[in-house]
Amino acid sequence: MAGDRSPGVLSRQRFGFLLLAAAAATGLCGGVSAVKSPSCHEVRMAFQIRQIGPLKLVPDVPTAESDLQICQHRAPTCCTKKMEESYQTAVRRERTQNIQALNFELKYMVVGHITAFQEAFESLLRFAENHTTSLFETAYRTMAKEAAEPVKELFTDLSLYILGAETTVENAVLRFFDSLFPLVYSRLINPGIIDLSEEYTECLRLTRQDINPFGRYSKEVVTELSKSLWASRMLNQALNMGIEVINTTEHAALTKECSRALVKMQYCPHCQGLTLIRPCVGYCLNVMRGCLASVSELDTQWREYISTLEYLTNEMAGSHDLELALLGIRNSINEAILHAQLNGPQLSATVDKVCGQPQEREAKPSPDNIVQAKDVSETQALTMAHSANLNNKRREFISYMKRSRTFYASIAERLCDGDLVMRDSSTCWNGEDVVESYTSRVVSNGLKAQINNPELKVKGLDPLISHLIDKLHHFNQLDTEKTKLKLERWASRESGSGGGKSEAMESSGDCDDEDGCQGSGDRIHTTDVLKGKKDYSEDRNEPKPTVKKIDTTSTTATTKSSSKHNLAGNVGNLASGSSFFIVTALAILWHCLS
């Protein structure tokens, strides 16, 4: 459990108690033979074992010390003011160590799963990248080498998005299709084009954003990835938020009142030579609940945070599964390329008006223009393997985190458990003397309850913890409220994306930056192209291409009589060598029209 002490802390404490017990037994044995004068020997031993400070601070025999501020007793004492100062330093150190011991398993689980999730994400992204690259290597070999870099950039951007970078899914996907269009245009639609100049290539990139050659498929990629990657991005942020909460509570400062109360509880008995007596349970709870009043205020937001984690892990494993979305990129790109090929004549006519006509050579039909069949069974098997790996990690993690819901509500009880207090003894320390039971009122957890705490005064909420509570509250609200709104938007978009919608879809405005997309502002229209605006090339120093103005009153469906602009001629030329290509082309055409 998260409340168990770490083995190192427990073993040191038990070893210390054994040594102190041996010292006490030695003293008792010596008292049988003769009555010895009072000594601070056991106090010196405890001071040394617990590494509180230099032994020279501890007197050899009890003295009538008058300037003690915390451990004030009428009888002679083995403590000095310098020892009290060392005790205050010791309780601060021990308090941090004890909370770290409580946090150890929780922190280990969160940090371990951050690493495990990131490794699984990276593995899945690499596999999806290789899976997508294989499409070009098998079906579009004439552009495979040049397409490798855009594919790599796409998956790098998606990885950075998951890890929290200030980027969007839409920006990454549309930039990829911007880079893809010049390759598709020059290698598949017009394979006779000689190598394109940088100026003409940039013109094709800008034209892609306006004429939408890939139809609805580029937007479908944005939508599907935005759904899945958003949950992964939020989960990564949530895990890092958990680490911040744990680290902050471990190193929260002790107030002066708390450090004095801890010294009084743990070390004032030593001043009377009572090195083995321990605090009463109720007394310990009052001191710890007072010291940790601010930390316990995290309880409400921590519970909500665990619910947020559970929601995000379920969302990732739901209908918009990350693995399926990433591995589906390959098929979406293939469909987008087929759509562009089948609309080649119209695209060529529009491009000629905007960018002019590039130099051409006589082209020979290539079977690379026809998409080869895919091995679906292998892909499905690998998808299932990756899904099982991530799902197992999710289930294991959330199962543990659900058990830590009450972690900050019960932290005082956990600290008072074990060797710190007397449970099976007839006597205990109540802050003033050795008693049979603690008779003062035991207050409950929380800041408000400490007004009745008899052991220390709590002035208010720690500013550092207050800031952390606000941060957790903001994160939980951001997740629970906005996710519901996003899911409603996506559901509405899907229900309205049926028949009657043009394939040349406009960029939707119902998807904000936190979805991973930028809305309608991303789309560059022809008028923007004429002004030389660039959304994805602002950081470059390349010269702006010369662009010809389109006559918007004329139809873009006007085609030339050459074979370049004749789809039927293209299919006929490609199929002239084999009836197999005729059947394949008809199947592709039927697929797009259905």
PDB file of all heavy atoms in Angstrom, residues 56-72:
ATOM      1  N   LYS A  56      28.842  16.618  21.514  1.00  0.00           N
ATOM      2  CA  LYS A  56      29.298  17.602  22.497  1.00  0.00           C
ATOM      3  C   LYS A  56      28.158  18.502  22.983  1.00  0.00           C
ATOM      4  O   LYS A  56      28.295  19.179  24.022  1.00  0.00           O
ATOM      5  CB  LYS A  56      30.425  18.456  21.913  1.00  0.00           C
ATOM      6  CG  LYS A  56      29.992  19.318  20.740  1.00  0.00           C
ATOM      7  CD  LYS A  56      31.178  20.110  20.182  1.00  0.00           C
ATOM      8  CE  LYS A  56      30.743  21.009  19.012  1.00  0.00           C
ATOM      9  NZ  LYS A  56      31.885  21.774  18.461  1.00  0.00           N
ATOM     10  N   LEU A  57      27.034  18.514  22.236  1.00  0.00           N
ATOM     11  CA  LEU A  57      25.881  19.315  22.662  1.00  0.00           C
ATOM     12  C   LEU A  57      25.141  18.683  23.835  1.00  0.00           C
ATOM     13  O   LEU A  57      24.394  19.365  24.543  1.00  0.00           O
ATOM     14  CB  LEU A  57      24.915  19.515  21.495  1.00  0.00           C
ATOM     15  CG  LEU A  57      25.433  20.268  20.266  1.00  0.00           C
ATOM     16  CD1 LEU A  57      24.340  20.354  19.208  1.00  0.00           C
ATOM     17  CD2 LEU A  57      25.917  21.661  20.657  1.00  0.00           C
ATOM     18  N   VAL A  58      25.319  17.361  24.031  1.00  0.00           N
ATOM     19  CA  VAL A  58      24.572  16.639  25.061  1.00  0.00           C
ATOM     20  C   VAL A  58      25.392  16.620  26.360  1.00  0.00           C
ATOM     21  O   VAL A  58      26.548  16.170  26.367  1.00  0.00           O
ATOM     22  CB  VAL A  58      24.270  15.193  24.616  1.00  0.00           C
ATOM     23  CG1 VAL A  58      23.387  14.496  25.658  1.00  0.00           C
ATOM     24  CG2 VAL A  58      23.597  15.180  23.252  1.00  0.00           C
ATOM     25  N   PRO A  59      24.806  17.080  27.455  1.00  0.00           N
ATOM     26  CA  PRO A  59      25.545  17.063  28.730  1.00  0.00           C
ATOM     27  C   PRO A  59      25.715  15.632  29.256  1.00  0.00           C
ATOM     28  O   PRO A  59      24.957  14.729  28.892  1.00  0.00           O
ATOM     29  CB  PRO A  59      24.665  17.896  29.660  1.00  0.00           C
ATOM     30  CG  PRO A  59      23.290  17.788  29.092  1.00  0.00           C
ATOM     31  CD  PRO A  59      23.476  17.687  27.593  1.00  0.00           C
ATOM     32  N   ASP A  60      26.711  15.444  30.105  1.00  0.00           N
ATOM     33  CA  ASP A  60      26.946  14.116  30.678  1.00  0.00           C
ATOM     34  C   ASP A  60      25.902  13.772  31.739  1.00  0.00           C
ATOM     35  O   ASP A  60      25.515  12.606  31.893  1.00  0.00           O
ATOM     36  CB  ASP A  60      28.347  14.044  31.289  1.00  0.00           C
ATOM     37  CG  ASP A  60      29.438  14.139  30.219  1.00  0.00           C
ATOM     38  OD1 ASP A  60      29.191  13.631  29.095  1.00  0.00           O
ATOM     39  OD2 ASP A  60      30.498  14.718  30.496  1.00  0.00           O
ATOM     40  N   VAL A  61      25.481  14.780  32.462  1.00  0.00           N
ATOM     41  CA  VAL A  61      24.494  14.562  33.530  1.00  0.00           C
ATOM     42  C   VAL A  61      23.398  15.617  33.398  1.00  0.00           C
ATOM     43  O   VAL A  61      23.618  16.681  32.806  1.00  0.00           O
ATOM     44  CB  VAL A  61      25.158  14.648  34.930  1.00  0.00           C
ATOM     45  CG1 VAL A  61      26.166  13.512  35.110  1.00  0.00           C
ATOM     46  CG2 VAL A  61      25.825  15.992  35.128  1.00  0.00           C
ATOM     47  N   PRO A  62      22.202  15.342  33.922  1.00  0.00           N
ATOM     48  CA  PRO A  62      21.112  16.331  33.854  1.00  0.00           C
ATOM     49  C   PRO A  62      21.500  17.630  34.553  1.00  0.00           C
ATOM     50  O   PRO A  62      22.207  17.628  35.570  1.00  0.00           O
ATOM     51  CB  PRO A  62      19.960  15.639  34.583  1.00  0.00           C
ATOM     52  CG  PRO A  62      20.269  14.189  34.506  1.00  0.00           C
ATOM     53  CD  PRO A  62      21.761  14.083  34.552  1.00  0.00           C
ATOM     54  N   THR A  63      21.033  18.728  33.968  1.00  0.00           N
ATOM     55  CA  THR A  63      21.315  20.048  34.529  1.00  0.00           C
ATOM     56  C   THR A  63      20.001  20.806  34.673  1.00  0.00           C
ATOM     57  O   THR A  63      18.977  20.462  34.085  1.00  0.00           O
ATOM     58  CB  THR A  63      22.256  20.849  33.612  1.00  0.00           C
ATOM     59  OG1 THR A  63      21.641  20.997  32.335  1.00  0.00           O
ATOM     60  CG2 THR A  63      23.599  20.133  33.465  1.00  0.00           C
ATOM     61  N   ALA A  64      20.046  21.873  35.433  1.00  0.00           N
ATOM     62  CA  ALA A  64      18.863  22.725  35.600  1.00  0.00           C
ATOM     63  C   ALA A  64      18.882  23.798  34.510  1.00  0.00           C
ATOM     64  O   ALA A  64      19.105  24.986  34.776  1.00  0.00           O
ATOM     65  CB  ALA A  64      18.852  23.331  36.994  1.00  0.00           C
ATOM     66  N   GLU A  65      18.681  23.382  33.305  1.00  0.00           N
ATOM     67  CA  GLU A  65      18.706  24.309  32.147  1.00  0.00           C
ATOM     68  C   GLU A  65      17.490  25.222  32.220  1.00  0.00           C
ATOM     69  O   GLU A  65      16.353  24.769  32.378  1.00  0.00           O
ATOM     70  CB  GLU A  65      18.687  23.515  30.850  1.00  0.00           C
ATOM     71  CG  GLU A  65      18.801  24.372  29.609  1.00  0.00           C
ATOM     72  CD  GLU A  65      20.233  24.819  29.345  1.00  0.00           C
ATOM     73  OE1 GLU A  65      21.176  24.200  29.873  1.00  0.00           O
ATOM     74  OE2 GLU A  65      20.398  25.799  28.609  1.00  0.00           O
ATOM     75  N   SER A  66      17.706  26.518  32.099  1.00  0.00           N
ATOM     76  CA  SER A  66      16.608  27.473  32.286  1.00  0.00           C
ATOM     77  C   SER A  66      16.152  28.154  31.002  1.00  0.00           C
ATOM     78  O   SER A  66      15.113  28.808  30.988  1.00  0.00           O
ATOM     79  CB  SER A  66      17.039  28.547  33.296  1.00  0.00           C
ATOM     80  OG  SER A  66      18.201  29.237  32.803  1.00  0.00           O
ATOM     81  N   ASP A  67      16.924  28.041  29.918  1.00  0.00           N
ATOM     82  CA  ASP A  67      16.572  28.782  28.701  1.00  0.00           C
ATOM     83  C   ASP A  67      15.940  27.906  27.618  1.00  0.00           C
ATOM     84  O   ASP A  67      15.947  28.257  26.440  1.00  0.00           O
ATOM     85  CB  ASP A  67      17.812  29.482  28.146  1.00  0.00           C
ATOM     86  CG  ASP A  67      18.926  28.487  27.801  1.00  0.00           C
ATOM     87  OD1 ASP A  67      18.808  27.307  28.197  1.00  0.00           O
ATOM     88  OD2 ASP A  67      19.893  28.901  27.141  1.00  0.00           O
ATOM     89  N   LEU A  68      15.384  26.740  27.995  1.00  0.00           N
ATOM     90  CA  LEU A  68      14.698  25.892  27.015  1.00  0.00           C
ATOM     91  C   LEU A  68      13.399  26.559  26.550  1.00  0.00           C
ATOM     92  O   LEU A  68      12.659  27.131  27.362  1.00  0.00           O
ATOM     93  CB  LEU A  68      14.394  24.519  27.623  1.00  0.00           C
ATOM     94  CG  LEU A  68      15.605  23.642  27.955  1.00  0.00           C
ATOM     95  CD1 LEU A  68      15.154  22.335  28.606  1.00  0.00           C
ATOM     96  CD2 LEU A  68      16.405  23.344  26.696  1.00  0.00           C
ATOM     97  N   GLN A  69      13.119  26.471  25.250  1.00  0.00           N
ATOM     98  CA  GLN A  69      11.931  27.108  24.679  1.00  0.00           C
ATOM     99  C   GLN A  69      10.785  26.122  24.434  1.00  0.00           C
ATOM    100  O   GLN A  69       9.628  26.521  24.390  1.00  0.00           O
ATOM    101  CB  GLN A  69      12.309  27.776  23.339  1.00  0.00           C
ATOM    102  CG  GLN A  69      13.402  28.813  23.459  1.00  0.00           C
ATOM    103  CD  GLN A  69      12.970  29.994  24.292  1.00  0.00           C
ATOM    104  OE1 GLN A  69      11.866  30.516  24.132  1.00  0.00           O
ATOM    105  NE2 GLN A  69      13.834  30.428  25.209  1.00  0.00           N
ATOM    106  N   ILE A  70      11.107  24.838  24.262  1.00  0.00           N
ATOM    107  CA  ILE A  70      10.083  23.858  23.904  1.00  0.00           C
ATOM    108  C   ILE A  70       9.896  22.818  25.007  1.00  0.00           C
ATOM    109  O   ILE A  70       8.784  22.586  25.488  1.00  0.00           O
ATOM    110  CB  ILE A  70      10.462  23.146  22.580  1.00  0.00           C
ATOM    111  CG1 ILE A  70      10.666  24.170  21.462  1.00  0.00           C
ATOM    112  CG2 ILE A  70       9.378  22.143  22.186  1.00  0.00           C
ATOM    113  CD1 ILE A  70      11.215  23.580  20.180  1.00  0.00           C
ATOM    114  N   CYS A  71      10.977  22.177  25.421  1.00  0.00           N
ATOM    115  CA  CYS A  71      10.913  21.086  26.404  1.00  0.00           C
ATOM    116  C   CYS A  71      11.150  21.636  27.811  1.00  0.00           C
ATOM    117  O   CYS A  71      12.220  21.448  28.402  1.00  0.00           O
ATOM    118  CB  CYS A  71      11.933  20.007  26.074  1.00  0.00           C
ATOM    119  SG  CYS A  71      11.759  19.322  24.409  1.00  0.00           S
ATOM    120  N   GLN A  72      10.164  22.348  28.315  1.00  0.00           N
ATOM    121  CA  GLN A  72      10.296  22.988  29.617  1.00  0.00           C
ATOM    122  C   GLN A  72       9.752  22.064  30.707  1.00  0.00           C
ATOM    123  O   GLN A  72       8.555  21.744  30.728  1.00  0.00           O
ATOM    124  CB  GLN A  72       9.553  24.325  29.624  1.00  0.00           C
ATOM    125  CG  GLN A  72      10.100  25.316  28.599  1.00  0.00           C
ATOM    126  CD  GLN A  72       9.269  26.583  28.512  1.00  0.00           C
ATOM    127  OE1 GLN A  72       8.138  26.631  28.994  1.00  0.00           O
ATOM    128  NE2 GLN A  72       9.830  27.610  27.906  1.00  0.00           N
TER     129      GLN A  72
END
